[in-house]
């Protein structure tokens, strides 16, 4: 076996490994672009799209105490993205179930696990995570009401205590004060 074929084989293996690693890091990212068209009908909208570089800017806005601040900055340095779409409408029926179902379909793919589902006649709240090894590789939440819809997607290695810390500082995982947060507060 000559050294050129060994080098070519190693290069191919390295490229495949890099491609596989990049694909694994990105598989927690949900496609939310189809929701952007709802902004035209909404009376209020929130759209956050932050990749790994942009998330680092959040580190400058941390207001927690010193010990929690360093934990949160460590988490932010690991995150690969934060994506939020939230819309509030003047009337019922301004968004369709199919808008949200497209996101739910992505969350039924292998790797995602639903950990919370609260539904009643008018509202629904769902929380998902993507476990990987001993951490969470992705977090997603969907909250719907007749005149509101909110979807959150956070990508990167984190644990449950880090998600709680992120929520305390930036309220990113609450979907605008959704029923999940109110219920969680009422059970304490």
């Amino acid at each position: 076996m000559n050294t050129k074929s060994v080098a070519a084989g190693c290069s191919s293996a390295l490229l495949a490994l890099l491609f596989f690693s990049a694909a694994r890091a990105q598989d927690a990212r949900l496609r939310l672009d189809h929701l952007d068209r709802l902004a035209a009908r909404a009376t209020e909208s929130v759209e956050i799209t932050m990749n790994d570089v942009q998330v680092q800017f959040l580190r400058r806005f941390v207001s927690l105490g010193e010990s929690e601040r360093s934990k949160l900055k460590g988490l932010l340095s690991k995150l690969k993205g934060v994506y939020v779409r939230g819309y509030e409408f003047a009337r019922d029926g301004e968004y369709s179930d199919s808008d949200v179902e497209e996101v739910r379909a992505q969350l039924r793919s292998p790797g995602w696990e639903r950990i919370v589902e609260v539904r009643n006649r008018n509202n629904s709240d769902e929380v998902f995570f993507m476990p990987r090894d001993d951490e969470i590789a992705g977090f997603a939440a969907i909250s719907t009401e007749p005149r509101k819809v909110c979807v959150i997607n956070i990508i990167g290695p984190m644990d449950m205590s880090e998600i709680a810390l992120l929520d305390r500082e930036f309220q990113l995982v609450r979907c605008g004060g959704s029923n999940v947060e109110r219920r969680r507060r009422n059970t304490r």
Side-chain angles (χ1 to χ4, degrees):
M1 185 180 274
N2 67 37
T3 54
K4 285 185 180 182
S5 64
V6 170
C10 287
S11 295
S12 297
L14 181 61
L15 285 173
L17 179 63
L18 289 173
F19 177 77
F20 180 71
S21 296
R24 282 185 56 134
Q26 292 301 315
D27 62 2
R29 169 114 191 244
L30 300 174
R31 292 178 317 280
L32 303 177
D33 295 343
H34 71 283
L35 296 174
D36 293 347
R37 63 185 164 73
L38 297 176
R41 294 191 301 261
T43 57
E44 188 175 324
S45 66
V46 174
E47 295 180 7
I48 299 171
T49 302
M50 301 181 83
N51 63 28
D52 57 340
V53 174
Q54 295 161 332
V55 166
Q56 300 315 307
F57 289 110
L58 288 176
R59 295 171 69 180
R60 297 183 180 154
F61 301 108
V62 175
S63 64
L64 296 169
E66 190 58 43
S67 68
E68 287 186 325
R69 182 180 303 150
S70 72
K71 289 177 191 174
L72 183 61
K73 286 183 175 183
L75 168 63
L76 293 173
S77 69
K78 299 185 298 183
L79 290 183
K80 303 296 180 210
V82 175
Y83 306 91
V84 178
R85 299 293 185 272
Y87 306 99
E88 188 167 343
F89 306 97
R91 296 181 304 278
D92 293 3
E94 292 290 327
Y95 74 93
S96 69
D97 290 337
S98 65
D99 294 320
V100 179
E101 185 54 35
E102 192 170 328
V103 176
R104 285 187 183 115
Q106 294 174 65
L107 292 165
R108 284 192 291 270
S109 66
W112 284 103
E113 295 180 18
R114 182 173 30 214
I115 58 173
V116 174
E117 180 180 25
V118 179
R119 292 182 187 265
N120 66 35
R121 199 163 100 193
N122 294 316
N123 305 328
S124 100
D125 294 298
E126 299 169 87
V127 177
F128 300 81
F129 75 100
M130 179 178 279
R132 183 164 301 128
D133 302 324
D134 292 334
E135 294 183 307
I136 297 170
F139 171 90
I142 301 171
S143 181
T144 62
E145 296 178 19
R147 296 181 183 190
K148 291 182 183 179
V149 62
C150 179
V151 178
I152 297 170
N153 183 214
I154 302 172
I155 303 140
M158 62 194 119
D159 61 33
M160 292 304 273
S161 66
E162 290 173 320
I163 290 174
L165 190 61
L166 190 64
D167 184 46
R168 273 198 308 275
E169 181 63 15
F170 300 112
Q171 288 123 27
L172 286 175
V173 300
R174 294 185 193 187
C175 267
S178 74
N179 292 330
V180 167
E181 180 58 26
R182 286 192 294 273
R183 286 186 190 106
R184 193 172 75 193
R185 255 188 262 130
N186 291 337
T187 60
R188 289 182 185 163

